[in-house]
Amino acid sequence: MFENVRKLSTIRKQALKSLLRKFDESGREIIEMHVLDDSGFLSPYAGANGKVISSEATSFLDNSVVLPGTFKHGIIIHITSACIDEQERIEYETAIRNRYRSRLTELSQSMLRNTIFGIGMSIVGVLILTFAIIMTYHNPGSIVLEVTYIAAWVFLWEAVDLLFLERSNLRYEQTKALTLYEAKIVFT
């Protein structure tokens, strides 16, 4: 088992080293994006904020930002294409910003929901645990008491999961989306 973990760790390190990462003079990472055909760059659906980039373009940008160290200095998205004219450049830059603005809104709402549900689960868990402790003095029977303890710990564990584990992932995604929203976009 530990041998497989070591192999996986070695493969992961090699993959990170194989990434050809470029940086500018101020330490911002440069993401190279070559667009051969821009017909699928924009999503066919437009939101209230206007056009957004397609899911493929979003996936490419999301997967290009892999290390949290990039978040400190920011990034530059360098889009190289012979088929994008001046008018489309403005439209595409706006679409990129719109996509990550909407992602920031979604993530903020998810964090708020997580906080509310986490606090609610904590309160319910503490109330059930308090009820279980009070029930021990009335000697209701071991099965009822065990079920009550299990219910309390399930609620408390779900609260921990929401408030600490999922929230850290959402915070990471929010920071990543903010970095992509604030990225400098350069067309050539």
Side-chain angles (χ1 to χ4, degrees):
M1 180 173 157
F2 292 114
E3 186 175 313
N4 289 337
V5 172
R6 275 189 235 119
K7 284 181 185 178
L8 185 61
S9 177
T10 305
I11 291 171
R12 184 175 166 267
K13 286 178 185 176
Q14 289 172 350
L16 286 174
K17 286 181 184 178
S18 70
L19 292 173
L20 299 174
R21 300 174 61 211
K22 296 180 185 176
F23 297 92
D24 71 347
E25 61 279 348
S26 63
R28 293 182 294 189
E29 184 175 359
I30 300 171
I31 296 175
E32 295 283 340
M33 185 177 194
H34 301 286
V35 180
L36 302 175
D37 180 18
D38 67 335
S39 62
F41 194 81
L42 294 176
S43 174
Y45 308 104
N49 294 335
K51 295 180 180 179
V52 295
I53 57 176
S54 68
S55 59
E56 289 179 344
T58 301
S59 177
F60 175 82
L61 291 173
D62 286 345
N63 292 332
S64 296
V65 180
V66 293
L67 299 175
T70 305
F71 302 156
K72 293 179 189 172
H73 304 289
I75 60 172
I76 297 173
I77 302 172
H78 184 230
I79 301 173
T80 306
S81 179
C83 58
I84 299 176
D85 62 15
E86 285 297 319
Q87 180 63 28
E88 289 175 326
R89 290 178 181 185
I90 297 168
E91 188 177 4
Y92 291 171
E93 182 175 349
T94 303
I96 291 170
R97 301 230 188 272
N98 285 343
R99 173 64 189 119
Y100 288 104
R101 181 184 309 120
S102 67
R103 167 103 34 105
L104 283 168
T105 304
E106 292 168 14
L107 290 167
S108 294
Q109 290 171 351
S110 293
M111 286 183 71
L112 179 63
R113 248 189 326 270
N114 265 12
T115 303
I116 291 170
F117 286 141
I119 291 171
M121 295 277 190
S122 297
I123 291 170
V124 169
V126 168
L127 289 175
I128 292 173
L129 192 59
T130 305
F131 177 71
I133 292 170
I134 292 171
M135 281 179 42
T136 58
Y137 295 113
H138 298 295
N139 202 8
S142 63
I143 293 176
V144 174
L145 197 57
E146 286 299 319
V147 169
T148 308
Y149 278 129
I150 290 171
W153 289 117
V154 166
F155 275 98
L156 289 173
W157 175 250
E158 188 62 28
V160 167
D161 182 43
L162 288 173
L163 291 174
F164 297 105
L165 303 177
E166 283 187 34
R167 190 173 178 81
S168 65
N169 288 338
L170 287 172
R171 191 174 295 128
Y172 171 80
E173 288 297 322
Q174 191 175 37
T175 306
K176 184 175 174 179
L178 181 63
T179 301
L180 285 163
Y181 175 73
E182 294 176 338
K184 179 180 178 184
I185 302 171
V186 178
F187 289 91
T188 56

